[in-house]
Amino acid sequence: MKMDAIDESMRAAILRLTTAERECLQRCLNHQTAKQMAIDLGISPHAVEKRLKMARAKLGLSSSLEAAKLVESLERCGRLGPGSSDLPPDHAR
């Protein structure tokens, strides 16, 4: 998914992700399995799968890795922070 294809509804969907869902998506980027995530997080593999499923549903994507890459790219470029804007940084006088 390209950055210019991300609209406000997708940004809002990403902001609705829970901390736990984001944690599991982040671990997808590290290529951890649900079992590895479960061990690290002290939860069941079923709970990990549910978190990933909920994240995919919120984002309307079928791949956890695709969802993880999308969230990570927006976080990296600062488009998810509070007050993030499409205005250039020198817009204030």
Side-chain angles (χ1 to χ4, degrees):
M1 184 171 284
K2 294 185 177 165
M3 291 300 292
D4 57 352
I6 298 168
D7 59 12
E8 279 303 306
S9 63
M10 179 60 79
R11 183 177 175 276
I14 293 169
L15 291 173
R16 284 194 304 272
L17 294 174
T18 67
T19 302
E21 291 164 350
R22 284 180 186 238
E23 174 69 21
C24 288
L25 289 175
Q26 176 63 41
R27 289 172 180 274
C28 282
L29 291 173
N30 297 330
H31 304 288
Q32 280 192 319
T33 66
K35 187 174 180 177
Q36 290 169 325
M37 288 183 217
I39 292 167
D40 288 351
L41 297 171
I43 59 177
S44 71
H46 176 74
V48 170
E49 291 293 345
K50 184 168 183 169
R51 289 175 183 181
L52 292 172
K53 181 179 179 181
M54 292 301 297
R56 290 191 310 266
K58 288 177 184 178
L59 300 175
L61 298 171
S62 59
S63 163
S64 294
L65 186 56
E66 181 181 0
K69 287 178 180 178
L70 173 67
V71 172
E72 192 264 343
S73 67
L74 288 179
E75 286 175 344
R76 188 178 44 224
C77 73
R79 291 191 58 193
L80 290 180
S84 63
S85 172
D86 292 330
L87 295 175
D90 62 339
H91 71 280
R93 294 185 189 236

